[in-house]
């Protein structure tokens, strides 16, 4: 069973508009949620995170929102740029361990930002 | 430059042969991980190691083996027992600790194709 779900395999937006990537989780026992960005044939790079005790974290054009009651988080990119085109993975860190050794990943959403 | 290197970038093997994927890091990280990515899938954890000479199975360890004789190195062997070895393999490393999450840094990946 998949604990972290990204139900939209792809998303296409116009340059300058907002991109909203969604992620749902089924297990309440997660400490942190992270977003990774991945270009083809490269390793993922960390983008932004949020602690389970917060509901929003912002870093430049990227904002992550966490709705614990709905077990839902979203990544907002404003304004979107063509260089943002990549696959975005949502990941979660289970409670109870100090390290991130058990990152649980979603399947990813491919974002295409059109000029 | 500090980072994680994986070699080779592309690897071809005949069915029934064991193959070893290299992963080296000079970030002085204690923890190292191996993930597998299949098309349209998220990253799935194969093995991880928190310290030299110790490692644990991840979610899909069957058909794989690892060793951790040095802090810098965490090679992954894909054995002939792995039923579907063709995939993109990603190595990662992180610090360890019981405070905040420990961000995982990923290598560029190795694409293994078994013919």
């Amino acid at each position: 069973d998949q604990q972290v779900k990204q139900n939209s395999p792809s998303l296409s937006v116009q340059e300058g508009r907002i991109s909203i990537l969604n992620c749902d989780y089924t297990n309440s026992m997660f400490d942190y949620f992270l977003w990774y960005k991945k270009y083809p044939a490269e390793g993922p790079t960390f983008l932004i995170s949020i602690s389970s005790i917060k509901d929003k974290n912002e870093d430049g054009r990227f904002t992550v929102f966490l709705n614990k009651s709905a077990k839902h988080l979203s990544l907002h990119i404003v304004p979107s740029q063509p260089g943002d085109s990549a696959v975005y993975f949502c990941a979660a860190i289970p409670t109870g361990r100090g390290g991130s050794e058990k990152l649980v990943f979603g399947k990813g959403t491919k974002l295409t930002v059109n000029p | 430059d500090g980072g994680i290197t994986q070699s080779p970038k592309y690897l071809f093997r005949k069915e029934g042969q064991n193959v070893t994927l290299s992963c080296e890091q000079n970030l002085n990280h204690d923890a190292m991980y191996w993930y597998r990515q299949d098309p349209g899938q998220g990253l799935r954890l194969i093995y991880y190691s928190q310290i030299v000479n110790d490692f644990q199975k991840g979610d899909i360890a069957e058909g794989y083996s690892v060793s951790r004789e040095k802090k810098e190195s965490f090679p992954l062997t894909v054995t002939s027992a792995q039923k579907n070895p063709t995939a993109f393999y990603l190595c990662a490393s992180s610090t360890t600790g019981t405070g905040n999450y420990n961000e995982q840094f990923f290598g560029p990946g190795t694409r293994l194709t078994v013919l």
Side-chain angles (χ1 to χ4, degrees):
Chain A
D1 66 343
Q2 201 176 3
Q3 298 182 60
V4 176
K5 299 180 182 180
Q6 293 178 258
N7 293 320
S8 298
S10 63
L11 174 69
S12 184
V13 300
Q14 285 301 119
E15 181 178 5
R17 308 294 288 266
I18 184 171
S19 295
I20 300 176
L21 297 106
N22 293 304
C23 179
D24 297 295
Y25 58 97
T26 58
N27 182 350
S28 296
M29 305 299 285
F30 288 125
D31 272 343
Y32 285 92
F33 300 90
L34 300 85
W35 286 94
Y36 278 84
K37 175 179 177 181
K38 184 181 181 302
Y39 294 115
E42 293 184 10
T45 55
F46 169 75
L47 194 57
I48 193 169
S49 67
I50 188 166
S51 164
S52 61
I53 63 172
K54 296 190 182 291
D55 53 21
K56 178 182 175 182
N57 187 27
E58 192 172 352
D59 184 1
R61 296 187 297 115
F62 303 92
T63 303
V64 57
F65 296 92
L66 176 61
N67 182 335
K68 288 184 284 294
S69 61
K71 295 190 176 68
H72 176 84
L73 64 154
S74 59
L75 174 68
H76 293 212
I77 306 174
V78 182
S80 301
Q81 300 172 354
D84 296 329
S85 297
V87 177
Y88 289 78
F89 288 100
C90 174
I93 299 176
T95 305
R97 297 298 298 267
S100 61
E101 66 271 17
K102 285 286 197 177
L103 272 180
V104 180
F105 283 88
K107 292 186 177 183
T109 296
K110 182 178 181 180
L111 173 66
T112 303
V113 180
N114 301 303
Chain B
D1 279 29
I4 302 175
T5 56
Q6 291 185 246
S7 60
K9 194 165 180 66
Y10 299 95
L11 190 55
F12 297 89
R13 279 294 181 270
K14 290 184 179 179
E15 193 173 345
Q17 287 182 336
N18 291 359
V19 59
T20 298
L21 281 60
S22 165
C23 178
E24 304 278 332
Q25 55 98 0
N26 60 6
L27 299 168
N28 200 32
H29 285 167
D30 286 314
M32 297 186 74
Y33 314 81
W34 274 105
Y35 293 89
R36 168 184 173 138
Q37 187 191 12
D38 295 283
Q41 299 291 322
L43 280 67
R44 292 182 291 168
L45 183 64
I46 304 173
Y47 267 98
Y48 64 99
S49 168
Q50 297 286 87
I51 197 169
V52 174
N53 291 325
D54 188 41
F55 47 83
Q56 286 79 40
K57 293 181 179 179
D59 299 319
I60 53 165
E62 185 175 349
Y64 299 99
S65 66
V66 293
S67 63
R68 187 85 188 276
E69 297 176 2
K70 297 186 301 182
K71 187 176 184 177
E72 303 79 20
S73 178
F74 192 40
L76 173 75
T77 297
V78 185
T79 75
S80 56
Q82 168 49 232
K83 291 183 174 23
N84 298 297
T86 294
F88 188 53
Y89 290 87
L90 287 157
C91 179
S93 71
S94 75
T95 55
T96 58
T98 55
N100 286 336
Y101 71 92
N102 298 293
E103 179 188 338
Q104 292 188 19
F105 295 84
F106 285 84
T110 292
R111 180 163 297 283
L112 173 65
T113 302
V114 175
L115 306 170

